Structures are given as structure tokens and as C-alpha cells.
Amino acid sequence: MAYFYAEKALHYFQETNNYGRALNAESVMLLQMSQDASVDFNELTERYTNLIHNSDTLGLKDKKALFLNNLGFEYFNTGNFTLAKKYYYEALLLDDPNSTSYLLHLCNYVDACLEGNLSRKGILLKKIREGLSRAKKLNSMHFIVLFQLMKLKAEGNDIAYYKFIEEKALPHFSAINHVIYHKRYGKLLFHYYVETSQYMKATTVLADQL
């Protein structure tokens, strides 16, 4: 239904030459498409590329940054961390460093680098320290949690990393109803407990994910 109404809105905005809102409507459609496993990934990325081009043509820098980030997210989900890093970085360059959108794109950029092992430890820790500092200035608990998670991972401190996921990150993601992060880090914690023979804790985490 979200796709259906977004498509109707898209046609209306196109007919009335409201290009900015037409871009918004199509982005909603693409977000719905990305949740459908039967959707052609090449079609999805091509449509995002068109949105990025159209945003650039119209001089809508904030929308261009958003679509670059969303395209990076699609590549991240397929395990193509190199392209995810590329698009996250391009989004980052368009942002005001004092904005929450900058924090989002910086966080995603560092995440892709960590998952794909695409940058040296020292460089990543410098970016993470920048992110933490900016998150604290903006009083953004969400990004403070995320950058603290990435700091522990970059340092290779597994015990502290999984302890932080259990005690801080998962309760935070649950409290703000962030389903994607809650599932992602819950799954990581579950596998860690299974691998370390902590089966009771693994069962508790599994139950929390259901």
C-alpha cells in the first residue's frame, strides 16, 4: 500500500511539475522495493542513480546526499562494502559537518570500512573519535552508542564489544524501535554466545529477537 500511494503521489507531482516532491515519492517507492527479494537489484540501483542525477540537476544537495546514502545502504546489504563506502563518502562530502545527517553518513562510512576491512585502524579510529565528539556536541545518544560500538570493534576488544552490545546497544535500539540495528546486533550477539558456549545467554538473546 505504501508503494501504491507513493506511485500515485509521484504521478501527481510529475503532472504538477513539483520535482522535489516527485523525488521524495520515488524514494519511498524504492525503499519499499528494497524489502522485496524478488526485485531486480540492477533496476533498483539504476533508479537510485537516476534520482541522484536528477537531484544534482535541480541543485537539491540535501536530496542528493540522501539518495547517495540510500544507494550505499543497498550495496552494504549485499556485502559490497567497497561500493557502499564510495557512496557513503560522496554523501558525507555534501553535508554540513555540524548536522545529524553528517553523523549518519560518517557512521555509515566507518561501518562499511570496518565490515569490508577497507581502511587502516588508525584512520578509522580518528574518524570514530570525530564522530563521537560531534555526537556529544549534538547530544545524540543514538550516534554516541553507534560510534562507541565501532570504536570497540576497531580496537579488537571482543569481550568489551559484546558486553556493550548486550548492556547498552540492544536496550537502546529496542527503546527507539530501531528494528534493523536490533536484529543485526542481536544476531551478532547470539552467534558470539553460541561460539563461546554461553547457551543460556544465547537463548535469551534469541527470545528477544522473536
Side-chain angles (χ1 to χ4, degrees):
M1 292 302 292
Y3 184 94
F4 173 76
Y5 284 113
E7 188 173 33
K8 287 177 70 70
L10 173 63
H11 293 320
Y12 172 76
F13 293 137
Q14 287 174 334
E15 290 170 0
T16 57
N17 298 322
N18 193 331
Y19 302 115
R21 292 198 173 184
L23 293 175
N24 287 342
E26 188 166 2
S27 71
V28 172
M29 292 167 64
L30 295 185
L31 288 172
Q32 296 301 313
M33 286 174 62
S34 70
Q35 298 176 40
D36 185 347
S38 67
V39 168
D40 186 325
F41 183 76
N42 291 329
E43 178 191 350
L44 185 65
T45 56
E46 183 179 348
R47 288 179 66 173
Y48 265 122
T49 301
N50 289 336
L51 282 179
I52 292 164
H53 172 75
N54 292 340
S55 300
D56 200 25
T57 301
L58 294 168
L60 301 173
K61 189 171 71 170
D62 57 336
K63 294 191 187 303
K64 181 180 178 181
L66 171 65
F67 300 142
L68 284 165
N69 180 81
N70 289 359
L71 182 54
F73 179 75
E74 298 299 338
Y75 280 113
F76 186 95
N77 284 341
T78 64
N80 191 334
F81 302 117
T82 300
L83 280 179
K85 173 189 173 184
K86 173 183 181 295
Y87 290 114
Y88 286 147
Y89 185 68
E90 289 181 17
L92 189 63
L93 293 177
L94 295 172
D95 271 322
D96 174 2
N98 297 312
S99 66
T100 53
S101 59
Y102 181 90
L103 276 179
L104 170 66
H105 302 147
L106 178 61
C107 180
N108 289 341
Y109 172 79
V110 173
D111 199 10
C113 289
L114 276 171
E115 292 297 320
N117 194 24
L118 300 174
S119 188
R120 295 196 301 274
K121 178 179 176 179
I123 294 174
L124 281 178
L125 285 172
K126 183 178 179 181
K127 292 285 187 185
I128 291 168
R129 284 194 293 270
E130 177 196 349
L132 267 174
S133 175
R134 294 186 183 281
K136 289 174 181 177
K137 285 180 181 177
L138 292 173
N139 196 29
S140 174
M141 180 54 63
H142 181 60
F143 287 109
I144 289 171
V145 168
L146 288 173
F147 281 112
Q148 286 176 331
L149 264 178
M150 290 187 285
K151 180 175 182 291
L152 291 170
K153 181 170 183 175
E155 292 171 342
N157 192 340
D158 282 355
I159 293 176
Y161 176 64
Y162 288 106
K163 183 179 176 64
F164 186 85
I165 291 175
E166 178 187 12
E167 296 182 355
K168 300 290 184 180
L170 283 182
H172 168 71
F173 298 141
S174 180
I176 65 171
N177 198 30
H178 200 302
V179 177
I180 292 174
Y181 279 142
H182 192 268
K183 286 186 176 180
R184 175 181 169 184
Y185 287 101
K187 184 177 179 180
L188 274 178
L189 189 61
F190 171 77
H191 287 298
Y192 171 74
Y193 284 145
V194 170
E195 290 167 5
T196 55
S197 302
Q198 300 182 66
Y199 299 117
M200 289 299 295
K201 285 190 172 184
T203 302
T204 301
V205 172
L206 183 62
D208 184 52
Q209 293 291 298
L210 298 176

